Amino acid sequence: MASEVVKKILEAESESGKKISEARQKSEDIIREAEGGASLLIQKKISEANSEAAKERSAYSEKLKAYTQQAQAECDKQIAAIKQQAEKNMDSAADEIIRRFF
């Protein structure tokens, strides 16, 4: 009878060890699977962020291009006005020099 109890205790310990081992293996599998899923999710988010950044860069590039064109047009207009004023000043200066000396 005592040996039967000892035998049952040993069997229970053995079964307990197996269940603990199985549980440990299952938990490791779950963790490994979760890590893989997380890795894929991270890669997806990085890809989405890169795509969004590319769109933003493109949009800013277009805005910069438009701004540059507007700035160039404004500069050209101001340069033309300055040239026109300089020509008038040159004509006025030449007329004044001629008037004073002749």
Side-chain angles (χ1 to χ4, degrees):
M1 182 151 165
S3 66
E4 223 176 278
V5 171
V6 171
K7 185 178 177 185
K8 285 186 180 185
I9 291 173
L10 292 175
E11 286 176 2
E13 285 179 350
S14 174
E15 187 67 25
S16 173
K18 287 178 186 178
K19 289 190 180 208
I20 289 172
S21 178
E22 288 174 5
R24 184 175 290 123
Q25 184 62 43
K26 283 183 182 180
S27 71
E28 288 175 2
D29 291 345
I30 290 170
I31 290 170
R32 206 173 304 115
E33 187 177 314
E35 286 174 343
S39 177
L40 290 175
L41 182 62
I42 289 169
Q43 289 175 356
K44 181 180 176 186
K45 291 294 183 182
I46 288 172
S47 177
E48 290 172 358
N50 284 336
S51 177
E52 186 64 28
K55 288 178 188 176
E56 290 292 326
R57 279 193 295 274
S58 178
Y60 286 126
S61 178
E62 290 297 318
K63 287 179 183 179
L64 177 61
K65 183 178 177 182
Y67 175 77
T68 301
Q69 289 172 344
Q70 289 174 351
Q72 184 64 47
E74 183 64 30
C75 286
D76 290 344
K77 190 189 309 183
Q78 289 180 4
I79 288 170
I82 291 169
K83 282 182 180 179
Q84 187 178 15
Q85 186 63 41
E87 288 174 9
K88 285 181 184 178
N89 289 346
M90 186 78 101
D91 291 342
S92 295
D95 289 344
E96 184 62 27
I97 290 171
I98 292 170
R99 188 181 67 74
R100 286 190 181 182
F101 290 106
F102 299 105

